[in-house]
Amino acid sequence: MVEITKTEEESDKRKLSPPPFLLKTYMLVEDPSTNDVVSWNCDGTTFVVLQPVEFARDLLPTLFKHNNFSSFVRQLNTYGFRKVATSQWEFCNDRFRKGEKELLCKIKRKKTWVTKQQPTIIAPIKVTPQDSDEEQRSLMSASSSSSYAVLMDENKRLKKENGVLSSELTTMKRKCKELLDLVAKYSCANEEGVDERPMLFKLRLEEVRVERELKIIEERGDMSGSTSIFL
């Protein structure tokens, strides 16, 4: 009897706790720091994914094990969410409201079949071909937008790298030209017999060296004369 009671208590707790998918989705919508990507509508009865690409790329991986926006929309459908606007990704569920987190445990996942003991299949939800086509087009549009955004980011990155490489190439060409001009100038100077050795204070380095040596010799001569006088 005790085991049965514990089992019943655990079952009751599971019934009172909301499904993880709904809880994680509620956390994303409720977070004020992500309002520019996903947020409640004005009266808090629906939520809107304002930027599907950023939502899938940046927010979904933080709480889910994927970054697939189409998969996220399919999960919403299994819990009875409806897309209420064709111009944007706005979803509604009567028990998914701002500030009423306790209602999440009352949202149940749809079942397409029953247990083997009751083989009768539950009648599927009636979906008109128009609604199905519209949802499919919306999902394809979101997928295309996501791919387009990724390609645009990659294109911007490649353009930036190309600009840097082009600048470096221009600098190297300029330095190479300066080096070639210097070599050509030095070669012409040698052919014409012009002394192109480096200068220091308008004097050739070689002339400065000779003057220093002459000065040293003179100083040594003065010292020798002074010595001979003392002797």
Side-chain angles (χ1 to χ4, degrees), residues 135-154:
E135 182 177 352
Q136 186 175 3
R137 285 195 299 269
S138 299
L139 292 175
M140 291 176 64
S141 176
S143 178
S144 299
S145 299
S146 178
S147 301
Y148 179 75
V150 171
L151 290 175
M152 288 297 294
D153 292 341
E154 183 68 12

Side-chain angles (χ1 to χ4, degrees), residues 28-29 31-40 48-52 54-55 58-59:
L28 289 176
V29 180
D31 187 358
S33 65
T34 62
N35 283 346
D36 57 332
V37 179
V38 57
S39 64
W40 297 103
V48 185
V49 181
L50 302 171
Q51 302 184 43
E54 288 75 5
F55 180 81
D58 302 330
L59 298 185

Side-chain angles (χ1 to χ4, degrees), residues 10 15 25 50 53 63 71 75 87 91 105 113 127 132 140 153 157 161 168 188 207 220 224 231:
E10 293 176 357
K15 290 180 180 179
T25 302
L50 302 171
V53 176
L63 294 177
S71 177
Q75 281 284 87
S87 59
F91 302 95
C105 59
W113 63 82
V127 180
S132 179
M140 291 176 64
D153 292 341
R157 184 183 65 81
E161 291 181 358
E168 292 179 354
C188 292
E207 296 173 357
R220 288 179 178 175
S224 299
L231 292 174

Side-chain angles (χ1 to χ4, degrees), residues 19-73:
F21 172 79
L22 296 177
L23 189 60
K24 293 176 181 180
T25 302
Y26 192 89
M27 290 170 61
L28 289 176
V29 180
E30 190 75 3
D31 187 358
S33 65
T34 62
N35 283 346
D36 57 332
V37 179
V38 57
S39 64
W40 297 103
N41 68 341
C42 297
D43 56 4
T45 56
T46 67
F47 75 92
V48 185
V49 181
L50 302 171
Q51 302 184 43
V53 176
E54 288 75 5
F55 180 81
R57 183 187 62 200
D58 302 330
L59 298 185
L60 281 182
T62 61
L63 294 177
F64 300 94
K65 294 181 179 180
H66 66 86
N67 59 352
N68 192 322
F69 185 71
S70 300
S71 177
F72 174 77
V73 174

